[in-house]
């Protein structure tokens, strides 16, 4: 059943008087609306299906062709809680964004994150020049992530297991450490735990005589190795050793090579964290950083698709061979991966 949202006339002009000390639950029921435009063709349904399969229970959901999520954002010393809904307005070549009025002070963050999540700045003509195979579709976009830490945790949980199994683990993590957010919205009930929350949970367990983060996440079905990797990512992020944010990769409808270099440096920093290998670093690079040239040659979906597309090729049978075949798709291998997953 589609959620009915309230439109507030001229609300934008009233909100600059927003008093941070007087926010109550009513702000979650008042809504703001924006249109965020893209250049067609744009395969919104394909992207929505991708997000639906990987949605974190309690934090994200897809209902009636609409993506919903909770969002906890910071600005200076303040934290802003609320929710977001995104659907397509294909007649205007735009996504219709609705969000709680509680998020108005972080409006610029909301817009940047949603544009990244739905890859709205991508120029389709860029793929036509490089991804020329008949099975490549220029309407296919690269799903980003709303929060870099959330994406990184979800990626580590997905190492060598199925998408559904990783989704189950992510839901347990949210149930155990997330902050409750009770509102009448499809599938939403909590905020994803922050890096600071996860570190604090491990520290508290250690002070009580436990083994730290492995004791916290172990009962959820998360292995000790993955728990340690997640904690290491959290610490690196809090200490400023890594930056899990989207980069503005497109400049004048071309890939900005300077930005590419910055992302690749960031991915090397990720690889220095124990438990993060090339698959994990490239998956995080794709969704958290907006890296357009990630390639997941060991991903089971990529392997199956390449074997089917190149049945007579010995290269499709090995990781080294798949990497060789993918050289033709540089510097847009992330988009090739999305087409392979289709």
């Amino acid at each position: 059943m589609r959620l009915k949202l309230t439109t507030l006339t001229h609300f934008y002009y009233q909100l600059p008087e927003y008093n941070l000390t007087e926010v109550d639950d009513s702000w979650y029921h008042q809504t703001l609306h924006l249109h965020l435009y893209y250049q067609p063709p744009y395969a919104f349904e394909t992207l929505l299906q991708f997000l639906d399969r990987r949605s974190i229970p309690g934090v994200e959901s897809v209902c009636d062709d609409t993506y919903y999520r909770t969002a906890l954002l910071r600005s200076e010393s303040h934290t802003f809680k609320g929710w977001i809904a995104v659907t397509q307005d294909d007649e205007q070549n735009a996504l219709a964004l609705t969000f709680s009025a509680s998020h108005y002070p972080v409006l610029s963050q909301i817009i940047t994150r949603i544009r990244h999540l739905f890859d709205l700045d991508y120029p389709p003509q860029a793929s036509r020049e490089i991804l020329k195979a008949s099975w490549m579709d220029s309407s296919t976009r690269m799903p980003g992530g709303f929060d870099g830490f959330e994406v990184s945790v979800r990626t580590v949980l997905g190492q060598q297991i199925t998408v559904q199994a990783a989704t189950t683990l992510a839901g347990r993590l949210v149930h155990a450490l997330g902050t409750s957010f009770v509102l009448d919205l499809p599938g939403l009930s909590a905020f994803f735990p922050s890096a600071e929350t996860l570190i604090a949970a491990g520290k508290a367990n250690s002070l009580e005589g436990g083994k730290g983060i492995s004791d916290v996440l172990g009962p959820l079905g998360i292995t000790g190795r993955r728990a340690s990797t997640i904690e290491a990512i959290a610490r690196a992020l809090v200490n400023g050793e890594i930056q899990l944010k989207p980069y503005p990769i497109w400049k004048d409808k071309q890939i900005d090579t300077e930005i590419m270099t910055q992302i690749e440096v960031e991915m090397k920093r990720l690889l220095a964290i124990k438990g993060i290998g090339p698959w994990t670093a490239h998956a995080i690079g794709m969704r958290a950083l907006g890296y357009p040239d990630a390639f997941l040659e060991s991903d089971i979906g990529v392997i199956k698709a390449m074997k089917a597309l190149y049945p007579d090729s010995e290269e499709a049978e090995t990781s080294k061979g798949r990497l060789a075949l993918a050289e033709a798709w540089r510097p847009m291998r992330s988009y090739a991966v999305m087409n392979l997953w289709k």
Side-chain angles (χ1 to χ4, degrees), residues 307-325:
K307 285 183 177 181
L309 288 167
Y310 305 101
D312 300 322
S313 172
E314 293 183 2
E315 289 181 304
E317 299 293 328
T318 67
S319 291
K320 185 177 180 180
R322 288 187 290 274
L323 280 170
L325 287 170

Side-chain angles (χ1 to χ4, degrees), residues 18-64:
Y18 191 22
N19 188 329
L20 299 174
T21 65
E22 297 179 359
V23 176
D24 56 33
D25 288 353
S26 68
W27 288 89
Y28 305 135
H29 297 278
Q30 300 180 84
T31 59
L32 295 171
H33 307 268
L34 289 175
H35 273 74
L36 301 179
Y37 296 89
Y38 56 76
Q39 184 178 346
Y42 184 85
F44 178 73
E45 291 183 0
T46 299
L47 197 151
L48 206 60
Q49 289 169 5
F50 178 95
L51 295 176
D52 189 19
R53 286 195 66 206
R54 293 159 180 80
S55 61
I56 299 174
V59 175
E60 304 172 283
S61 70
V62 174
C63 179
D64 290 337

Side-chain angles (χ1 to χ4, degrees), residues 91-235:
E91 292 184 358
Q92 296 194 51
N93 292 329
L95 297 187
L97 167 65
T98 301
F99 56 99
S100 57
S102 56
H103 273 150
Y104 178 79
V106 285
L107 176 59
S108 61
Q109 281 196 54
I110 295 286
I111 292 174
T112 297
R113 290 173 183 240
I114 293 297
R115 293 198 71 86
H116 166 67
L117 175 60
F118 287 91
D119 201 13
L120 298 182
D121 296 321
Y122 173 64
Q125 62 268 34
S127 68
R128 299 188 190 108
E129 298 170 4
I130 297 170
L131 308 179
K132 299 178 180 178
S134 60
W135 51 274
M136 298 283 192
D137 183 355
S138 62
S139 70
T140 300
R141 302 299 173 96
M142 181 178 68
F146 187 81
D147 178 86
F149 179 64
E150 177 184 298
V151 167
S152 300
V153 172
R154 176 65 178 75
T155 302
V156 171
L157 293 177
Q159 292 173 336
Q160 299 179 329
I161 63 174
T162 65
V163 170
Q164 183 55 52
T167 298
T168 298
L169 292 177
R172 292 174 184 170
L173 177 65
V174 169
H175 182 74
L177 297 178
T179 303
S180 177
F181 184 65
V182 180
L183 206 64
D184 187 19
L185 289 163
L188 304 187
S189 60
F191 298 104
F192 194 85
S194 67
E196 292 85 354
T197 297
L198 192 134
I199 293 169
K203 184 177 181 180
N205 181 270
S206 295
L207 291 174
E208 293 172 357
K211 296 179 181 179
I213 198 62
S214 61
D215 276 0
V216 176
L217 301 186
L220 308 180
I222 300 170
T223 65
R225 180 181 63 81
R226 289 192 184 117
S228 296
T229 300
I230 290 170
E231 184 179 51
I233 293 172
R235 290 190 181 280

Side-chain angles (χ1 to χ4, degrees), residues 252-291:
D252 298 327
K253 299 184 179 181
Q254 298 292 326
I255 290 174
D256 188 324
T257 55
E258 291 185 7
I259 297 296
M260 283 280 282
T261 300
Q262 293 178 34
I263 298 176
E264 287 162 358
V265 168
E266 203 64 54
M267 289 169 67
K268 287 179 181 178
R269 291 173 180 156
L270 284 168
L271 283 167
I273 296 174
K274 187 176 180 180
I276 294 184
W279 181 91
T280 305
H282 274 242
I284 293 173
M286 283 178 66
R287 296 204 59 202
L289 309 180
Y291 186 53

